[in-house]
Amino acid sequence: MRNTQATIRDIAIKLNISISTVSRALRGAPDVNQETKKAVLEMAEKLNYEPNRVAQSLRIKRTNTLGIIVPEISLHFFSSAISGMQEEAAQHGYSIMICQSLESFETEKQNVHMLAANRVDGLLISMSSETKDVAHIQSLINKNIPVVLFDRVSDALPVAKVVVDDHDGAFKATEHLIQTGCRRIAYIGGPLTFYISNQRKRGYLDALLHHNIIPDEQLIVHCHELHTEPLEQVKRLLSLPKTQQPDALFCLNDPIAVPVLQLLKEKNIRVPEEISVVGFTNEPVSAFIEPSLTTVSQPSHEMGKKAIELFLEQSHDLDNFTPVTATMKTTLLVRNSTRKV
Amino acid sequence: MRNTQATIRDIAIKLNISISTVSRALRGAPDVNQETKKAVLEMAEKLNYEPNRVAQSLRIKRTNTLGIIVPEISLHFFSSAISGMQEEAAQHGYSIMICQSLESFETEKQNVHMLAANRVDGLLISMSSETKDVAHIQSLINKNIPVVLFDRVSDALPVAKVVVDDHDGAFKATEHLIQTGCRRIAYIGGPLTFYISNQRKRGYLDALLHHNIIPDEQLIVHCHELHTEPLEQVKRLLSLPKTQQPDALFCLNDPIAVPVLQLLKEKNIRVPEEISVVGFTNEPVSAFIEPSLTTVSQPSHEMGKKAIELFLEQSHDLDNFTPVTATMKTTLLVRNSTRKV
DNA sequence: GTGAAAGCGCTAACAA
DNA sequence: TTGTTAGCGCTTTCAC
């Protein structure tokens, strides 16, 4: 935005007509003389005219831009979801502006402010694991900006959501562990305030109870931080007295399960013979790691598309909006990190 | 952008002062009475004021937004580069707007137009493999918008670039194959007009010549499309008469090499005993696939950061700009898809 | 230290 | 069918 970009005014002057006529012609309004329109379009081409969306946005009070916040772009689940959003959004004339919270609540708040300042027409967010207070998001909602939560959602927000059935996915995963003979199944989860972690934990607990296994509090760990703490916790579990050690690890997600698998390999603990491991998400590496990781897959690309669809529905009909939750299917992918039935 | 967002005007009225004073106070101008400033800031807080970047942008003719175009967000190399850009950009007050070309020239052109319409302050682009004509990018340059190319660059554009030494990386990879006893090394590349593919091919050819191996045209393939064609081409190579078959495959990148590895596994062709495979980029899966893939790693995150740095330098000093090319180091990661020396 | 006023590029009444 | 005009929210001279 710097040099001598042509404006509708330039076109108007060259053609000796008014700027409103140019504006109309450019926007393909019906009440414009065909000749005039043709001349305008040609002149626009000639002057290399490019509409100024900034000015348009200011005037029409819509930016045709959506804000997206994810914890970490480079996690495949998120980049794949973003990819789905981007494609769907582009099809409807929306551009997207992307931020990462890097799992930091403060950064997430800043991101929200920045997107609000940019007057995005909607916000699609997957919350950081640290996020507990949702006032920053609520403030957007109060300003009538449609918000769609995906994957990392919160019960405290009455908005559209795209999730998978975390409870069900976790139940299936845990049941699979039980059916393959595991009894001391540990859950490696996130912070106590982390919604999806709690959902998955509930699925895990319900599966245990359903099979008459009494949960052992010792085997349920809540990591405050998702990068290094999980490994520490697993090491701790492995150093318990033999009889108290877990025979299976159900991890909150693949980014936790994969390093765990590597740790076990380093320690020469055989998987799945001595200990089984299950993840969640189905990151691409999970299929390739040795042994390949049994995991619960989430349809990331579709979730992204769906999130945009929910935004569109809402923005078309702002008045009578009811916060729907789209629940997508998970699939248990049985691979080689768990025993055969 | 819809409801009753407070404006500086609202603040001015409430405080019974002029909007210019409010503007000054908000921007922390020096010539504002401390009392006034305090009152303004408090009122802004109270009214939940959020500056309108759209209006600011229109007025100051800068958006503080950068456009990024990549072929595919969900390829780890790109999401990781974007992540680096995002972090660096955020530190300097820039937001980013992201597009995917999906390897389509037409889409890439549309992306460029959209970003131009949004008046981004700069463009960071990794070109689609289809892109041959660079007029769309040139037109931005003509409008004085700084452009930085990264990874997928073009010689035809006199702009800042961030690349790895593709020739050197390919040379090292090919030499490694030769040193481990391979003689009939195939190159699975991209379109003839694809710059990095040609660079890598040159490195490959030079390594062969350096070791007195006469290149076999039959073993050099150029895929027009990067998703399905490479596998077809490899199948073709494998169906050649025994003596003409390759004993090594040097693939343009890991997204090609990984499926190739799977194909070979399906066909029960032992890697690296019967055939060696080398990739480029170092996608995360490459370390985990069995056998793990020997590849040339690129510092994706750093390349992203560097690209932003080059943009910043250029935007600070638009007048005397010389198009630097930052060449980053590649590392040959020898893993198990190639034989031991 | 503060205010009045112009204007960034565009859209959308309203008038002609 | 076209032109005139006001104004979106902000910054920035220029006065005072």
Side-chain angles (χ1 to χ4, degrees):
Chain A
M1 197 171 187
R2 184 163 295 102
N3 216 22
T4 47
Q5 201 16 306
T7 69
I8 54 170
R9 190 147 185 282
D10 298 321
I11 300 177
I13 291 173
K14 288 259 186 193
L15 257 32
N16 201 24
I17 57 179
S18 78
I19 61 164
S20 33
T21 303
V22 175
S23 172
R24 278 188 274 260
L26 251 20
R27 273 173 299 133
D31 53 350
V32 182
N33 186 307
Q34 281 303 314
E35 306 271 293
T36 320
K37 185 170 171 181
K38 190 154 160 275
V40 168
L41 260 27
E42 274 169 11
M43 185 54 75
E45 181 76 54
K46 192 175 150 208
L47 296 182
N48 229 315
Y49 171 79
E50 192 85 62
N52 187 331
R53 282 240 252 166
V54 178
Q56 280 177 342
S57 298
L58 181 61
R59 181 60 238 244
I60 67 179
K61 293 175 169 297
R62 290 195 317 122
T63 53
N64 281 303
T65 299
L66 299 177
I68 298 176
I69 303 176
V70 295
E72 218 177 316
I73 299 174
S74 59
L75 285 184
H76 188 266
F77 173 76
F78 292 115
S79 64
S80 171
I82 290 174
S83 164
M85 291 180 191
Q86 210 272 328
E87 287 162 35
E88 188 73 13
Q91 239 160 58
H92 294 269
Y94 284 94
S95 311
I96 64 174
M97 205 167 245
I98 296 190
C99 305
Q100 317 186 67
S101 64
L102 298 173
E103 305 285 13
S104 149
F105 174 58
E106 276 309 317
T107 307
E108 183 177 297
K109 273 208 306 205
Q110 285 172 21
N111 289 339
V112 169
H113 277 297
M114 189 227 86
L115 293 173
N118 275 291
R119 297 299 190 267
V120 292
D121 292 340
L123 172 67
L124 306 156
I125 177 171
S126 194
M127 301 187 318
S128 94
S129 57
E130 257 184 46
T131 303
K132 191 176 155 182
D133 176 8
V134 294
H136 56 308
I137 299 177
Q138 185 62 51
S139 86
L140 280 208
I141 300 170
N142 295 345
K143 285 172 186 162
N144 261 311
I145 298 175
V147 171
V148 180
L149 302 184
F150 67 99
D151 192 52
R152 308 271 200 96
V153 303
S154 159
D155 257 354
L157 256 11
V159 298
K161 291 167 199 169
V162 180
V163 294
V164 291
D165 191 334
D166 287 295
H167 180 280
D168 179 62
F171 189 98
K172 286 188 292 197
T174 309
E175 188 160 57
H176 168 70
L177 287 170
I178 296 169
Q179 287 167 347
T180 55
C182 299
R183 286 298 171 271
R184 294 191 50 75
I185 303 170
Y187 175 62
I188 316 296
L192 274 167
T193 52
F194 190 15
Y195 186 76
I196 61 169
S197 176
N198 290 335
Q199 291 296 307
R200 291 174 194 176
K201 181 172 131 191
R202 278 191 38 233
Y204 153 85
L205 289 174
D206 287 349
L208 291 184
L209 294 176
H210 184 76
H211 290 270
N212 301 312
I213 298 176
I214 297 159
D216 180 350
E217 280 301 328
Q218 210 179 186
L219 297 180
I220 300 176
V221 302
H222 300 98
C223 305
H224 295 78
E225 178 278 334
L226 269 30
H227 285 288
T228 63
E229 197 183 338
L231 279 187
E232 297 310 315
Q233 294 283 3
V234 169
K235 281 182 196 159
R236 195 182 51 73
L237 290 177
L238 294 176
S239 67
L240 288 175
K242 207 69 185 159
T243 55
Q244 292 173 41
Q245 280 181 25
D247 57 11
L249 302 170
F250 174 36
C251 302
L252 171 66
N253 57 25
D254 286 9
I256 290 176
V258 166
V260 162
L261 232 33
Q262 291 178 289
L263 173 72
L264 295 172
K265 198 180 286 185
E266 275 170 33
K267 288 189 174 281
N268 287 315
I269 300 176
R270 285 170 306 143
V271 176
E273 292 81 358
E274 296 178 64
I275 193 162
S276 294
V277 179
V278 174
F280 211 111
T281 306
N282 192 27
E283 289 277 323
V285 293
S286 308
F288 294 109
I289 194 170
E290 197 68 29
S292 56
L293 179 68
T294 294
T295 190
V296 179
S297 87
Q298 295 174 280
S300 48
H301 198 267
E302 289 69 31
M303 288 174 78
K305 274 181 109 90
K306 188 70 191 176
I308 297 289
E309 284 168 21
L310 291 188
F311 160 77
L312 291 170
E313 282 173 25
Q314 183 170 350
S315 73
H316 287 153
D317 190 9
L318 261 186
D319 305 324
N320 44 359
F321 159 72
T322 42
V324 291
T325 294
T327 305
M328 320 283 281
K329 271 228 189 76
T330 60
T331 316
L332 178 68
L333 298 178
V334 176
R335 293 201 280 235
N336 299 322
S337 65
T338 51
R339 308 182 209 159
K340 300 292 160 244
V341 184
Chain B
M1 198 172 184
R2 185 163 296 102
N3 218 21
T4 47
Q5 214 354 323
T7 69
I8 54 169
R9 189 148 185 281
D10 298 323
I11 300 177
I13 291 173
K14 289 261 186 193
L15 258 33
N16 201 23
I17 57 179
S18 77
I19 61 165
S20 28
T21 302
V22 175
S23 172
R24 278 190 270 260
L26 250 20
R27 273 173 300 129
D31 53 348
V32 182
N33 186 308
Q34 281 304 316
E35 306 271 296
T36 320
K37 184 170 171 183
K38 189 154 162 275
V40 168
L41 261 27
E42 273 169 9
M43 185 55 75
E45 182 76 52
K46 192 173 152 210
L47 297 181
N48 228 316
Y49 172 78
E50 192 85 63
N52 187 332
R53 281 240 251 166
V54 178
Q56 279 177 338
S57 298
L58 180 61
R59 181 59 237 246
I60 67 178
K61 293 174 169 298
R62 289 192 321 123
T63 54
N64 281 304
T65 299
L66 299 178
I68 299 177
I69 304 176
V70 294
E72 218 176 315
I73 298 175
S74 59
L75 286 183
H76 188 266
F77 173 76
F78 292 115
S79 62
S80 170
I82 290 174
S83 162
M85 292 180 191
Q86 210 271 329
E87 288 161 34
E88 187 73 14
Q91 239 160 58
H92 294 269
Y94 283 93
S95 311
I96 63 174
M97 206 167 244
I98 297 189
C99 305
Q100 319 186 63
S101 64
L102 299 173
E103 304 285 11
S104 150
F105 174 58
E106 276 310 317
T107 307
E108 183 177 296
K109 273 208 305 204
Q110 285 172 23
N111 289 339
V112 169
H113 277 296
M114 188 226 89
L115 293 173
N118 275 292
R119 297 300 190 268
V120 293
D121 292 340
L123 172 67
L124 306 156
I125 177 172
S126 194
M127 301 188 317
S128 95
S129 58
E130 258 184 44
T131 302
K132 191 177 154 181
D133 177 8
V134 294
H136 56 308
I137 299 176
Q138 185 63 51
S139 86
L140 280 207
I141 300 170
N142 295 345
K143 284 171 187 160
N144 261 312
I145 299 175
V147 171
V148 180
L149 301 183
F150 67 98
D151 191 51
R152 309 271 200 98
V153 303
S154 159
D155 257 354
L157 256 10
V159 299
K161 291 167 199 170
V162 180
V163 294
V164 291
D165 190 335
D166 287 295
H167 180 280
D168 179 61
F171 189 97
K172 286 187 292 197
T174 310
E175 188 160 57
H176 168 69
L177 288 169
I178 296 169
Q179 287 167 347
T180 54
C182 300
R183 285 300 172 270
R184 293 190 53 74
I185 302 169
Y187 174 63
I188 316 296
L192 275 167
T193 53
F194 191 16
Y195 187 76
I196 60 169
S197 176
N198 290 334
Q199 292 296 309
R200 291 174 194 176
K201 182 172 131 193
R202 280 190 39 233
Y204 153 85
L205 289 173
D206 287 348
L208 292 183
L209 294 175
H210 184 76
H211 289 270
N212 301 313
I213 298 176
I214 299 160
D216 180 349
E217 280 301 328
Q218 210 180 186
L219 297 180
I220 300 176
V221 303
H222 300 99
C223 304
H224 296 78
E225 178 277 334
L226 268 30
H227 286 288
T228 63
E229 198 183 337
L231 280 187
E232 298 310 315
Q233 294 283 4
V234 169
K235 282 181 195 157
R236 194 182 53 72
L237 290 177
L238 294 174
S239 66
L240 289 174
K242 208 67 185 161
T243 54
Q244 292 173 41
Q245 281 181 25
D247 57 11
L249 302 171
F250 173 38
C251 302
L252 172 65
N253 58 25
D254 286 9
I256 291 177
V258 166
V260 162
L261 232 32
Q262 290 179 289
L263 173 73
L264 295 172
K265 197 179 285 184
E266 276 169 32
K267 288 189 174 283
N268 287 313
I269 299 176
R270 285 170 306 142
V271 176
E273 292 81 359
E274 296 178 63
I275 194 164
S276 295
V277 179
V278 174
F280 210 111
T281 305
N282 191 27
E283 290 278 323
V285 293
S286 307
F288 294 108
I289 193 169
E290 196 67 30
S292 56
L293 179 67
T294 294
T295 191
V296 179
S297 86
Q298 295 174 280
S300 49
H301 198 267
E302 288 69 29
M303 288 175 78
K305 273 182 109 91
K306 189 70 192 178
I308 296 290
E309 284 168 21
L310 291 188
F311 160 76
L312 291 170
E313 282 173 24
Q314 183 169 352
S315 74
H316 287 154
D317 191 8
L318 262 186
D319 304 323
N320 44 0
F321 159 70
T322 42
V324 291
T325 294
T327 305
M328 320 282 281
K329 271 229 189 77
T330 60
T331 316
L332 178 68
L333 298 178
V334 176
R335 293 200 279 234
N336 298 323
S337 65
T338 51
R339 308 183 209 158
K340 301 291 160 247
V341 184

